[in-house]
Amino acid sequence: MPAPVKTARKKVVRQSREARVRDILNAAREVFEARGYEKATVAEIASRVGIVEGTVFSYFPSKRVLVLKVMEQFYHQITLQIEEGIQGVNGTRERFYFVIWNHLNIMTQNRALCGVILNESRGIDHELSQQVRLLNRRYTEVVTQITQDGIVSGELRPDVSVILVRNTLFGTLEHYLWSMYQDSKDTETTTLDIHQTSQQITRLIFGGISNNNQNLPDKSVKGEVSELIKKLNKLL
């Protein structure tokens, strides 16, 4: 009687924990960008990775934790980018310009995820909103530092409110993001001239707090302010 033929068992290759987490986060970002936080489901995220829903929950206990991890990963990347980039820029005005230009680039290249972050920072989930604000704090800290350094160097007036400068700068940029997120067909924002817009916002901010306002032509400053206000009004 012939001996039974042994069949070789298929070797199952298990992914490392790091690789699995990476795949889940990549899929989660795609789904959150496509659906938004509320409509996104863990089931769809799992399907994109090729695993069951329960496996996702073994790494991330809730959808909120998952979206926060996606945001945290994104903030870590852009914060390092701006902190490293600013090191090679000299002068307060030039540093403001770099921050504004860099932020507009980030917004246009990551508008879907930025839209999710913006939505959730004002959403009804207060715990999630608070976590988003905490993530945003370190990123916006660079403007606080630029302003403080500018006051010390004498480029900015000593009575300048550091918080007001930060809020004015990022508040202005936020209006552009809202428009990009809510109306992708808005030709003014989808074809935004980042360099020109960055220059205008820089002139508006720096012109209002500079210690050398006498060196800035009044007509030029008024023209820039007027032009920027017109653009902001269209976005409101």
Side-chain angles (χ1 to χ4, degrees):
M1 188 175 180
V5 179
K6 291 183 179 179
T7 55
R9 287 187 178 180
K10 233 181 185 181
K11 192 175 179 182
V12 178
V13 180
R14 291 184 178 274
Q15 271 192 314
S16 68
R17 180 177 179 82
E18 292 77 15
R20 178 71 80 198
V21 167
R22 184 189 63 240
D23 289 348
I24 293 172
L25 288 174
N26 288 340
R29 174 167 176 168
E30 290 173 3
V31 174
F32 287 131
E33 287 180 341
R35 312 274 185 232
Y37 174 69
E38 287 300 326
K39 293 182 180 178
T41 65
V42 175
E44 183 177 358
I45 293 167
S47 175
R48 291 197 183 206
V49 182
I51 56 179
V52 296
E53 195 173 346
T55 303
V56 176
F57 285 123
S58 70
Y59 290 92
F60 303 95
S62 68
K63 187 171 77 166
R64 178 196 285 143
V65 171
L66 187 50
V67 75
L68 278 172
K69 193 63 183 176
V70 169
M71 291 178 185
E72 182 184 305
Q73 195 176 60
F74 176 65
Y75 266 102
H76 178 71
Q77 174 193 338
I78 65 174
T79 301
L80 281 180
Q81 180 181 318
I82 201 167
E83 288 177 346
E84 290 174 2
I86 203 74
Q87 298 304 314
V89 183
N90 297 315
T92 301
R93 183 186 179 117
E94 290 72 20
R95 296 177 89 197
F96 276 132
Y97 173 84
F98 172 79
V99 169
I100 294 163
W101 175 86
N102 188 69
H103 192 72
L104 287 172
N105 267 294
I106 289 169
M107 284 163 48
T108 53
Q109 291 168 14
N110 302 275
R111 68 179 65 191
L113 183 58
C114 286
V116 174
I117 293 171
L118 190 59
N119 247 355
E120 297 316 313
S121 68
R122 284 154 176 71
I124 57 174
D125 188 331
H126 298 300
E127 187 177 336
L128 182 54
S129 297
Q130 182 60 26
Q131 290 299 319
V132 173
R133 290 191 186 97
L134 290 174
L135 289 173
N136 197 48
R137 186 172 295 171
R138 182 185 167 195
Y139 176 73
T140 59
E141 182 64 25
V142 66
V143 170
T144 301
Q145 192 60 55
I146 290 171
T147 308
Q148 290 172 338
D149 290 346
I151 293 170
V152 171
S153 69
E155 291 176 86
L156 303 181
R157 297 200 317 268
D159 63 340
V160 166
S161 167
V162 175
I163 294 174
L164 183 58
V165 173
R166 183 197 64 197
N167 292 350
T168 300
L169 191 152
F170 284 107
T172 300
L173 294 174
E174 192 174 289
H175 281 289
Y176 282 96
L177 177 55
W178 264 121
S179 186
M180 279 190 275
Y181 177 65
Q182 293 178 329
D183 186 5
S184 59
K185 293 179 181 178
D186 183 350
T187 55
E188 183 168 5
T189 51
T190 53
T191 58
L192 185 69
D193 185 329
I194 293 176
H195 172 64
Q196 183 184 44
T197 303
S198 299
Q199 282 188 323
Q200 290 176 334
I201 298 173
T202 300
R203 286 170 186 157
L204 177 63
I205 299 291
F206 189 78
I209 60 178
S210 170
N211 217 6
N212 303 308
N213 280 333
Q214 66 272 18
N215 296 331
L216 297 173
D218 288 343
K219 271 189 180 176
S220 172
V221 174
K222 287 177 183 176
E224 293 294 346
V225 171
S226 176
E227 184 64 26
L228 189 57
I229 288 172
K230 282 181 188 175
K231 287 194 173 187
L232 286 175
N233 284 336
K234 287 180 183 177
L235 298 175
L236 291 173

